[in-house]
Amino acid sequence: MKRFSCDEWVELVTSYLEDGLDESTRHVFEEHLAACECCGHYLHQFRVTVTALGTLRPEPLPGQARERLLAAFRDRRNSRVEEPRSS
């Protein structure tokens, strides 16, 4: 059975919390969690952070900031589409 390194485990935390792991991966994930105190602390802190961020109210952007940001994202996306691909 595959075991996860801490780095591999951290990559799966979001999927774990969103119930997105298949049964066997979830089992190995939880085995690692039970044996690794550091990853247990990491998961706890991750949950605390998600809870704290979920209570924040979005603040409106001042002036034309929203429009400038959206234009910058559009320009960036368009420039990536127009860039020739190297063969």
Side-chain angles (χ1 to χ4, degrees), residues 50-84:
V50 168
T51 300
L53 291 174
T55 63
L56 296 177
R57 291 178 158 210
E59 294 183 23
L61 294 171
Q64 296 293 319
R66 182 177 190 279
E67 286 74 23
R68 288 194 312 263
L69 282 170
L70 290 173
F73 287 125
R74 275 192 300 273
D75 291 346
R76 174 73 175 151
R77 182 188 64 217
N78 291 339
S79 70
R80 294 178 97 187
V81 169
E82 295 170 6
E83 291 175 3

Side-chain angles (χ1 to χ4, degrees), residues 1-85:
M1 179 181 288
K2 179 176 178 21
R3 295 182 184 262
F4 293 128
S5 69
C6 293
D7 289 341
E8 292 171 316
W9 184 91
V10 165
E11 293 294 321
L12 297 173
V13 168
T14 301
S15 294
Y16 175 76
L17 292 174
E18 294 175 349
D19 200 26
L21 300 179
D22 61 66
E23 187 176 333
S24 63
T25 304
R26 182 179 192 85
H27 177 74
V28 176
F29 182 95
E30 290 174 343
E31 278 185 343
H32 180 95
L33 180 61
C36 184
E37 186 177 345
C38 291
C39 287
H41 288 300
Y42 180 86
L43 181 61
H44 172 73
Q45 189 60 51
F46 198 95
R47 284 180 167 147
V48 168
T49 301
V50 168
T51 300
L53 291 174
T55 63
L56 296 177
R57 291 178 158 210
E59 294 183 23
L61 294 171
Q64 296 293 319
R66 182 177 190 279
E67 286 74 23
R68 288 194 312 263
L69 282 170
L70 290 173
F73 287 125
R74 275 192 300 273
D75 291 346
R76 174 73 175 151
R77 182 188 64 217
N78 291 339
S79 70
R80 294 178 97 187
V81 169
E82 295 170 6
E83 291 175 3
R85 295 184 181 196

